[in-house]
Amino acid sequence: MIVAIDGPAGTGKSSTSKAVAAQLGLSYLDTGAQYRAITWWMVSNGIDIDDPSAIAAAAGKPEIVSGTDPEGPAITVDGLDVAGPIRTQEVSSKVSAVSAVPEVRTRITELQRSIAASAEQGIVVEGRDIGTTVLPDADLKIFLTASPEARAARRSGELKGSDVHSTREALIKRDAADSSRKASPLAKADDAVEVDTTELTLAQVIECVVTLVEEKRAGK
């Protein structure tokens, strides 16, 4: 059972995906963390983020390993635990530019497909292009949405002390960058189930997705 959960930042993707995977005994993959990891490596190694050819040339160098336990998803780069460092504002502000480089997407997409293929119990994979590009044959595709205001409020709650207005502007800017890039843009797959989380609590979103997975498993 492969479940693809896509959608922009602040829709509850990560929290929902982890909880659903844990509840149903599935593996879990945060594809955004992989893009953050390669971005962190580029920044740490002095690669010019404004030079796509420099990013492309370095795309194959870092060794990225993702743990798939939903209770404690780990990620390492060249053997170093980067779960904390990849969440900094510096990485967040540069990840769209790095992710837009086709060589980076090819490298990370191959990694994601191999992880999904080796998940014996099934897997929940969350990101921005899973249902459309990475795993177009996923058994179930879900696209989470929410209003920019709701997303900004959630995201600024996660980023303690951040201002909702500037968070909203940053989210809208990132949506535009991710939706307009040439290589596998953020988009809803034609056969995805859209779930608007604006008015829902996290528990309600999780319950909704678990129900969708169970119905799919039962062949409904």
Side-chain angles (χ1 to χ4, degrees):
M1 183 80 188
I2 293 180
V3 182
I5 299 185
D6 288 306
T11 51
K13 261 199 328 274
S14 294
S15 305
T16 300
S17 301
K18 274 187 278 205
V20 169
Q23 207 166 312
L24 297 175
L26 303 172
S27 295
Y28 161 75
L29 179 62
D30 175 359
T31 63
Q34 295 175 317
Y35 283 107
R36 285 174 170 276
I38 200 165
T39 302
W40 173 86
W41 184 91
M42 298 275 175
V43 171
S44 302
N45 285 275
I47 308 297
D48 183 357
I49 303 299
D50 296 320
D51 181 357
S53 59
I55 293 172
K61 291 181 179 176
E63 184 194 7
I64 298 169
V65 178
S66 294
T68 57
D69 176 0
E71 304 286 358
I75 185 155
T76 63
V77 178
D78 297 336
L80 190 71
D81 176 2
V82 294
I86 63 171
R87 300 292 169 188
T88 62
Q89 188 53 46
E90 184 180 21
V91 171
S92 296
S93 66
K94 292 175 176 167
V95 69
S96 286
V98 173
S99 304
V101 176
E103 288 82 357
V104 169
R105 296 208 79 79
T106 299
R107 162 92 200 282
I108 301 292
T109 296
E110 285 170 0
L111 182 59
Q112 291 162 1
R113 286 177 179 156
S114 70
I115 292 169
S118 62
E120 292 174 11
Q121 304 301 318
I123 191 166
V124 177
V125 184
E126 59 125 323
R128 286 171 158 73
D129 65 340
I130 311 307
T132 51
T133 304
V134 180
L135 300 166
D137 298 326
D139 300 289
L140 175 64
K141 300 174 188 177
I142 294 168
F143 194 85
L144 297 184
T145 62
S147 69
E149 290 70 26
R151 291 165 51 212
R154 287 172 193 162
R155 187 43 68 95
S156 57
E158 289 167 22
L159 308 168
K160 299 286 181 279
S162 65
D163 146 33
V164 176
H165 178 73
S166 59
T167 302
R168 180 178 179 275
E169 295 305 308
L171 286 175
I172 290 171
K173 188 176 172 186
R174 177 144 186 218
D175 286 351
D178 290 348
S179 303
S180 61
R181 65 171 177 245
K182 290 189 176 68
S184 38
L186 164 67
K188 179 188 163 195
D190 294 337
D191 53 348
V193 179
E194 185 167 325
V195 178
D196 187 338
T197 69
T198 304
E199 302 294 336
L200 302 178
T201 64
L202 178 59
Q204 288 172 323
V205 179
I206 293 164
E207 185 184 352
C208 172
V209 174
V210 165
T211 302
L212 288 168
V213 175
E214 287 176 336
E215 285 176 355
K216 195 72 181 180
R217 273 179 167 170
K220 289 182 181 173

